[in-house]
Amino acid sequence: MRTTCEMELMLQGYGLTTAKILYHYPDHPHLLQTYVWQEFDLAPKFPVLFKFLDFWQEKLEGPLHSVAYTHRRLIAPNEWRKVDGEIVLH
């Protein structure tokens, strides 16, 4: 499988998604624990986040309580401009 660098992902429209996950502590279900997850993902469908949450529900013991997320595209179309030349010093 080919790994994609972060710049390539950003150019493809991916942005940084951060999720704050609250889950019930497995040994003490009345207690909540926090987990922060961060990865490049595509809004608005968030396939990477939902794949992680599916993994969590299938493989991990702590049942989910809630998930809050933010998403930010790091490169916007207006941040690129055509460069016609280059000046090299020294």
PDB file of all heavy atoms in Angstrom, residues 4-5 11 17 26 29 35 38 40 42 45-46 48 54 56 58 68 72-73 79 81 84-85 87-88:
ATOM      1  N   THR A   4       0.663   8.169   1.531  1.00  0.00           N
ATOM      2  CA  THR A   4       0.509   9.487   0.945  1.00  0.00           C
ATOM      3  C   THR A   4       1.012  10.520   1.945  1.00  0.00           C
ATOM      4  O   THR A   4       0.651  10.482   3.113  1.00  0.00           O
ATOM      5  CB  THR A   4      -0.971   9.753   0.623  1.00  0.00           C
ATOM      6  OG1 THR A   4      -1.461   8.682  -0.173  1.00  0.00           O
ATOM      7  CG2 THR A   4      -1.140  11.041  -0.134  1.00  0.00           C
ATOM      8  N   CYS A   5       1.838  11.442   1.453  1.00  0.00           N
ATOM      9  CA  CYS A   5       2.351  12.460   2.363  1.00  0.00           C
ATOM     10  C   CYS A   5       1.242  13.471   2.691  1.00  0.00           C
ATOM     11  O   CYS A   5       0.241  13.571   1.989  1.00  0.00           O
ATOM     12  CB  CYS A   5       3.578  13.149   1.772  1.00  0.00           C
ATOM     13  SG  CYS A   5       3.219  14.305   0.456  1.00  0.00           S
ATOM     14  N   LEU A  11      -3.704  18.722  -0.711  1.00  0.00           N
ATOM     15  CA  LEU A  11      -4.016  19.132  -2.077  1.00  0.00           C
ATOM     16  C   LEU A  11      -5.227  18.387  -2.633  1.00  0.00           C
ATOM     17  O   LEU A  11      -5.900  18.871  -3.535  1.00  0.00           O
ATOM     18  CB  LEU A  11      -2.801  18.922  -2.984  1.00  0.00           C
ATOM     19  CG  LEU A  11      -1.621  19.853  -2.708  1.00  0.00           C
ATOM     20  CD1 LEU A  11      -0.415  19.436  -3.551  1.00  0.00           C
ATOM     21  CD2 LEU A  11      -1.989  21.300  -2.967  1.00  0.00           C
ATOM     22  N   THR A  17      -8.831  16.744  11.097  1.00  0.00           N
ATOM     23  CA  THR A  17     -10.009  16.488  11.930  1.00  0.00           C
ATOM     24  C   THR A  17      -9.534  16.087  13.316  1.00  0.00           C
ATOM     25  O   THR A  17      -8.675  15.217  13.460  1.00  0.00           O
ATOM     26  CB  THR A  17     -10.867  15.361  11.330  1.00  0.00           C
ATOM     27  OG1 THR A  17     -11.256  15.743  10.011  1.00  0.00           O
ATOM     28  CG2 THR A  17     -12.094  15.099  12.171  1.00  0.00           C
ATOM     29  N   PRO A  26     -14.030   0.910  31.147  1.00  0.00           N
ATOM     30  CA  PRO A  26     -14.499  -0.486  31.136  1.00  0.00           C
ATOM     31  C   PRO A  26     -14.722  -1.100  32.522  1.00  0.00           C
ATOM     32  O   PRO A  26     -15.712  -1.797  32.733  1.00  0.00           O
ATOM     33  CB  PRO A  26     -13.390  -1.230  30.395  1.00  0.00           C
ATOM     34  CG  PRO A  26     -12.698  -0.199  29.584  1.00  0.00           C
ATOM     35  CD  PRO A  26     -12.814   1.081  30.359  1.00  0.00           C
ATOM     36  N   PRO A  29     -18.091   1.572  34.803  1.00  0.00           N
ATOM     37  CA  PRO A  29     -18.930   2.177  33.770  1.00  0.00           C
ATOM     38  C   PRO A  29     -19.525   3.535  34.138  1.00  0.00           C
ATOM     39  O   PRO A  29     -19.943   4.272  33.268  1.00  0.00           O
ATOM     40  CB  PRO A  29     -20.037   1.157  33.538  1.00  0.00           C
ATOM     41  CG  PRO A  29     -19.677  -0.050  34.285  1.00  0.00           C
ATOM     42  CD  PRO A  29     -18.550   0.268  35.210  1.00  0.00           C
ATOM     43  N   TYR A  35     -10.556  10.677  25.245  1.00  0.00           N
ATOM     44  CA  TYR A  35      -9.531  10.301  24.284  1.00  0.00           C
ATOM     45  C   TYR A  35      -9.580  11.330  23.156  1.00  0.00           C
ATOM     46  O   TYR A  35     -10.659  11.651  22.644  1.00  0.00           O
ATOM     47  CB  TYR A  35      -9.802   8.898  23.727  1.00  0.00           C
ATOM     48  CG  TYR A  35      -8.776   8.425  22.737  1.00  0.00           C
ATOM     49  CD1 TYR A  35      -7.554   7.932  23.160  1.00  0.00           C
ATOM     50  CD2 TYR A  35      -9.016   8.488  21.370  1.00  0.00           C
ATOM     51  CE1 TYR A  35      -6.603   7.500  22.252  1.00  0.00           C
ATOM     52  CE2 TYR A  35      -8.070   8.062  20.456  1.00  0.00           C
ATOM     53  CZ  TYR A  35      -6.870   7.573  20.905  1.00  0.00           C
ATOM     54  OH  TYR A  35      -5.933   7.156  20.002  1.00  0.00           O
ATOM     55  N   GLN A  38      -6.752  12.549  16.247  1.00  0.00           N
ATOM     56  CA  GLN A  38      -6.498  13.558  15.222  1.00  0.00           C
ATOM     57  C   GLN A  38      -5.934  12.880  13.972  1.00  0.00           C
ATOM     58  O   GLN A  38      -5.004  12.081  14.062  1.00  0.00           O
ATOM     59  CB  GLN A  38      -5.522  14.600  15.752  1.00  0.00           C
ATOM     60  CG  GLN A  38      -5.434  15.844  14.928  1.00  0.00           C
ATOM     61  CD  GLN A  38      -4.620  16.911  15.635  1.00  0.00           C
ATOM     62  OE1 GLN A  38      -3.488  16.655  16.016  1.00  0.00           O
ATOM     63  NE2 GLN A  38      -5.198  18.076  15.797  1.00  0.00           N
ATOM     64  N   PHE A  40      -5.994  13.309   9.221  1.00  0.00           N
ATOM     65  CA  PHE A  40      -6.493  13.977   8.025  1.00  0.00           C
ATOM     66  C   PHE A  40      -7.715  13.230   7.523  1.00  0.00           C
ATOM     67  O   PHE A  40      -7.717  12.004   7.449  1.00  0.00           O
ATOM     68  CB  PHE A  40      -5.410  14.014   6.939  1.00  0.00           C
ATOM     69  CG  PHE A  40      -4.345  15.031   7.213  1.00  0.00           C
ATOM     70  CD1 PHE A  40      -3.142  14.662   7.776  1.00  0.00           C
ATOM     71  CD2 PHE A  40      -4.552  16.367   6.936  1.00  0.00           C
ATOM     72  CE1 PHE A  40      -2.157  15.591   8.041  1.00  0.00           C
ATOM     73  CE2 PHE A  40      -3.580  17.311   7.191  1.00  0.00           C
ATOM     74  CZ  PHE A  40      -2.380  16.928   7.750  1.00  0.00           C
ATOM     75  N   LEU A  42     -11.737  13.736   5.087  1.00  0.00           N
ATOM     76  CA  LEU A  42     -12.534  14.487   4.116  1.00  0.00           C
ATOM     77  C   LEU A  42     -13.889  14.850   4.708  1.00  0.00           C
ATOM     78  O   LEU A  42     -14.647  13.969   5.107  1.00  0.00           O
ATOM     79  CB  LEU A  42     -12.764  13.645   2.854  1.00  0.00           C
ATOM     80  CG  LEU A  42     -11.622  13.564   1.866  1.00  0.00           C
ATOM     81  CD1 LEU A  42     -11.917  12.505   0.810  1.00  0.00           C
ATOM     82  CD2 LEU A  42     -11.381  14.904   1.209  1.00  0.00           C
ATOM     83  N   LYS A  45     -18.240  13.817   4.903  1.00  0.00           N
ATOM     84  CA  LYS A  45     -18.569  12.400   5.187  1.00  0.00           C
ATOM     85  C   LYS A  45     -17.653  11.762   6.220  1.00  0.00           C
ATOM     86  O   LYS A  45     -18.024  10.774   6.835  1.00  0.00           O
ATOM     87  CB  LYS A  45     -18.562  11.596   3.895  1.00  0.00           C
ATOM     88  CG  LYS A  45     -19.662  12.045   2.953  1.00  0.00           C
ATOM     89  CD  LYS A  45     -19.829  11.108   1.809  1.00  0.00           C
ATOM     90  CE  LYS A  45     -20.980  11.591   0.950  1.00  0.00           C
ATOM     91  NZ  LYS A  45     -21.372  10.662  -0.055  1.00  0.00           N
ATOM     92  N   PHE A  46     -16.446  12.266   6.410  1.00  0.00           N
ATOM     93  CA  PHE A  46     -15.491  11.802   7.415  1.00  0.00           C
ATOM     94  C   PHE A  46     -15.281  10.281   7.403  1.00  0.00           C
ATOM     95  O   PHE A  46     -15.508   9.597   8.402  1.00  0.00           O
ATOM     96  CB  PHE A  46     -15.914  12.261   8.814  1.00  0.00           C
ATOM     97  CG  PHE A  46     -15.986  13.746   8.936  1.00  0.00           C
ATOM     98  CD1 PHE A  46     -17.206  14.402   8.946  1.00  0.00           C
ATOM     99  CD2 PHE A  46     -14.833  14.504   9.029  1.00  0.00           C
ATOM    100  CE1 PHE A  46     -17.279  15.781   9.045  1.00  0.00           C
ATOM    101  CE2 PHE A  46     -14.888  15.883   9.128  1.00  0.00           C
ATOM    102  CZ  PHE A  46     -16.116  16.529   9.132  1.00  0.00           C
ATOM    103  N   VAL A  48     -12.518   8.485   7.419  1.00  0.00           N
ATOM    104  CA  VAL A  48     -11.447   8.014   8.305  1.00  0.00           C
ATOM    105  C   VAL A  48     -11.934   8.002   9.756  1.00  0.00           C
ATOM    106  O   VAL A  48     -11.698   7.036  10.497  1.00  0.00           O
ATOM    107  CB  VAL A  48     -10.187   8.898   8.148  1.00  0.00           C
ATOM    108  CG1 VAL A  48      -9.076   8.436   9.073  1.00  0.00           C
ATOM    109  CG2 VAL A  48      -9.715   8.897   6.704  1.00  0.00           C
ATOM    110  N   ASP A  54     -15.826   2.766  14.099  1.00  0.00           N
ATOM    111  CA  ASP A  54     -16.252   1.370  13.902  1.00  0.00           C
ATOM    112  C   ASP A  54     -15.253   0.411  14.548  1.00  0.00           C
ATOM    113  O   ASP A  54     -15.642  -0.560  15.205  1.00  0.00           O
ATOM    114  CB  ASP A  54     -16.399   1.050  12.411  1.00  0.00           C
ATOM    115  CG  ASP A  54     -17.603   1.721  11.791  1.00  0.00           C
ATOM    116  OD1 ASP A  54     -18.514   2.145  12.542  1.00  0.00           O
ATOM    117  OD2 ASP A  54     -17.621   1.847  10.546  1.00  0.00           O
ATOM    118  N   TRP A  56     -13.310   1.096  17.038  1.00  0.00           N
ATOM    119  CA  TRP A  56     -13.468   1.269  18.491  1.00  0.00           C
ATOM    120  C   TRP A  56     -14.606   0.380  18.997  1.00  0.00           C
ATOM    121  O   TRP A  56     -14.454  -0.338  19.981  1.00  0.00           O
ATOM    122  CB  TRP A  56     -13.764   2.733  18.805  1.00  0.00           C
ATOM    123  CG  TRP A  56     -13.855   3.027  20.274  1.00  0.00           C
ATOM    124  CD1 TRP A  56     -14.789   2.564  21.155  1.00  0.00           C
ATOM    125  CD2 TRP A  56     -12.973   3.841  21.046  1.00  0.00           C
ATOM    126  NE1 TRP A  56     -14.562   3.043  22.419  1.00  0.00           N
ATOM    127  CE2 TRP A  56     -13.441   3.838  22.372  1.00  0.00           C
ATOM    128  CE3 TRP A  56     -11.847   4.581  20.735  1.00  0.00           C
ATOM    129  CZ2 TRP A  56     -12.825   4.545  23.381  1.00  0.00           C
ATOM    130  CZ3 TRP A  56     -11.238   5.288  21.749  1.00  0.00           C
ATOM    131  CH2 TRP A  56     -11.716   5.265  23.051  1.00  0.00           C
ATOM    132  N   GLU A  58     -15.942  -2.260  17.672  1.00  0.00           N
ATOM    133  CA  GLU A  58     -15.733  -3.697  17.468  1.00  0.00           C
ATOM    134  C   GLU A  58     -14.649  -4.275  18.364  1.00  0.00           C
ATOM    135  O   GLU A  58     -14.775  -5.397  18.843  1.00  0.00           O
ATOM    136  CB  GLU A  58     -15.357  -3.961  16.007  1.00  0.00           C
ATOM    137  CG  GLU A  58     -16.476  -3.731  15.034  1.00  0.00           C
ATOM    138  CD  GLU A  58     -16.017  -3.876  13.590  1.00  0.00           C
ATOM    139  OE1 GLU A  58     -14.886  -4.372  13.363  1.00  0.00           O
ATOM    140  OE2 GLU A  58     -16.783  -3.488  12.697  1.00  0.00           O
ATOM    141  N   ALA A  68     -17.245  14.637  19.933  1.00  0.00           N
ATOM    142  CA  ALA A  68     -17.304  16.015  19.438  1.00  0.00           C
ATOM    143  C   ALA A  68     -16.104  16.207  18.529  1.00  0.00           C
ATOM    144  O   ALA A  68     -14.997  15.774  18.849  1.00  0.00           O
ATOM    145  CB  ALA A  68     -17.266  16.999  20.599  1.00  0.00           C
ATOM    146  N   ARG A  72     -10.745  21.334   9.920  1.00  0.00           N
ATOM    147  CA  ARG A  72     -10.186  22.539   9.313  1.00  0.00           C
ATOM    148  C   ARG A  72      -9.373  22.147   8.094  1.00  0.00           C
ATOM    149  O   ARG A  72      -8.437  21.363   8.197  1.00  0.00           O
ATOM    150  CB  ARG A  72      -9.291  23.258  10.322  1.00  0.00           C
ATOM    151  CG  ARG A  72      -8.496  24.400   9.766  1.00  0.00           C
ATOM    152  CD  ARG A  72      -9.337  25.653   9.663  1.00  0.00           C
ATOM    153  NE  ARG A  72      -8.458  26.784   9.407  1.00  0.00           N
ATOM    154  CZ  ARG A  72      -8.545  27.542   8.341  1.00  0.00           C
ATOM    155  NH1 ARG A  72      -9.463  27.328   7.458  1.00  0.00           N
ATOM    156  NH2 ARG A  72      -7.718  28.544   8.168  1.00  0.00           N
ATOM    157  N   ARG A  73      -9.764  22.697   6.939  1.00  0.00           N
ATOM    158  CA  ARG A  73      -8.934  22.531   5.739  1.00  0.00           C
ATOM    159  C   ARG A  73      -7.718  23.412   5.904  1.00  0.00           C
ATOM    160  O   ARG A  73      -7.835  24.586   6.224  1.00  0.00           O
ATOM    161  CB  ARG A  73      -9.704  22.922   4.491  1.00  0.00           C
ATOM    162  CG  ARG A  73     -10.725  21.866   4.128  1.00  0.00           C
ATOM    163  CD  ARG A  73     -11.282  22.060   2.776  1.00  0.00           C
ATOM    164  NE  ARG A  73     -10.217  21.938   1.776  1.00  0.00           N
ATOM    165  CZ  ARG A  73     -10.420  22.072   0.489  1.00  0.00           C
ATOM    166  NH1 ARG A  73     -11.618  22.346   0.041  1.00  0.00           N
ATOM    167  NH2 ARG A  73      -9.425  21.950  -0.366  1.00  0.00           N
ATOM    168  N   GLU A  79      -5.202  30.340  -1.405  1.00  0.00           N
ATOM    169  CA  GLU A  79      -3.846  30.400  -0.878  1.00  0.00           C
ATOM    170  C   GLU A  79      -2.798  29.977  -1.905  1.00  0.00           C
ATOM    171  O   GLU A  79      -1.618  29.984  -1.610  1.00  0.00           O
ATOM    172  CB  GLU A  79      -3.733  29.532   0.380  1.00  0.00           C
ATOM    173  CG  GLU A  79      -4.586  30.049   1.520  1.00  0.00           C
ATOM    174  CD  GLU A  79      -4.550  29.140   2.723  1.00  0.00           C
ATOM    175  OE1 GLU A  79      -3.882  28.095   2.689  1.00  0.00           O
ATOM    176  OE2 GLU A  79      -5.221  29.477   3.706  1.00  0.00           O
ATOM    177  N   ARG A  81      -1.079  30.497  -5.771  1.00  0.00           N
ATOM    178  CA  ARG A  81      -0.957  31.409  -6.902  1.00  0.00           C
ATOM    179  C   ARG A  81       0.106  30.874  -7.840  1.00  0.00           C
ATOM    180  O   ARG A  81       1.034  30.168  -7.433  1.00  0.00           O
ATOM    181  CB  ARG A  81      -0.620  32.816  -6.447  1.00  0.00           C
ATOM    182  CG  ARG A  81       0.661  32.938  -5.674  1.00  0.00           C
ATOM    183  CD  ARG A  81       0.809  34.353  -5.136  1.00  0.00           C
ATOM    184  NE  ARG A  81       1.850  34.377  -4.137  1.00  0.00           N
ATOM    185  CZ  ARG A  81       3.098  34.757  -4.367  1.00  0.00           C
ATOM    186  NH1 ARG A  81       3.446  35.192  -5.559  1.00  0.00           N
ATOM    187  NH2 ARG A  81       3.988  34.725  -3.416  1.00  0.00           N
ATOM    188  N   ASP A  84       5.653  32.403 -12.032  1.00  0.00           N
ATOM    189  CA  ASP A  84       6.231  32.320 -13.371  1.00  0.00           C
ATOM    190  C   ASP A  84       7.753  32.246 -13.368  1.00  0.00           C
ATOM    191  O   ASP A  84       8.367  31.859 -14.340  1.00  0.00           O
ATOM    192  CB  ASP A  84       5.806  33.539 -14.207  1.00  0.00           C
ATOM    193  CG  ASP A  84       4.328  33.487 -14.534  1.00  0.00           C
ATOM    194  OD1 ASP A  84       3.815  32.382 -14.757  1.00  0.00           O
ATOM    195  OD2 ASP A  84       3.712  34.555 -14.552  1.00  0.00           O
ATOM    196  N   GLY A  85       8.377  32.628 -12.289  1.00  0.00           N
ATOM    197  CA  GLY A  85       9.838  32.631 -12.271  1.00  0.00           C
ATOM    198  C   GLY A  85      10.379  32.385 -10.868  1.00  0.00           C
ATOM    199  O   GLY A  85       9.630  32.297  -9.906  1.00  0.00           O
ATOM    200  N   ILE A  87      13.925  33.462  -8.428  1.00  0.00           N
ATOM    201  CA  ILE A  87      15.188  34.166  -8.260  1.00  0.00           C
ATOM    202  C   ILE A  87      15.996  33.438  -7.200  1.00  0.00           C
ATOM    203  O   ILE A  87      15.515  33.228  -6.090  1.00  0.00           O
ATOM    204  CB  ILE A  87      14.967  35.629  -7.833  1.00  0.00           C
ATOM    205  CG1 ILE A  87      14.175  36.368  -8.915  1.00  0.00           C
ATOM    206  CG2 ILE A  87      16.292  36.319  -7.570  1.00  0.00           C
ATOM    207  CD1 ILE A  87      13.773  37.769  -8.526  1.00  0.00           C
ATOM    208  N   VAL A  88      17.210  33.049  -7.556  1.00  0.00           N
ATOM    209  CA  VAL A  88      18.060  32.325  -6.625  1.00  0.00           C
ATOM    210  C   VAL A  88      19.193  33.258  -6.181  1.00  0.00           C
ATOM    211  O   VAL A  88      19.896  33.823  -7.015  1.00  0.00           O
ATOM    212  CB  VAL A  88      18.651  31.051  -7.283  1.00  0.00           C
ATOM    213  CG1 VAL A  88      19.542  30.326  -6.319  1.00  0.00           C
ATOM    214  CG2 VAL A  88      17.537  30.160  -7.780  1.00  0.00           C
TER     215      VAL A  88
END
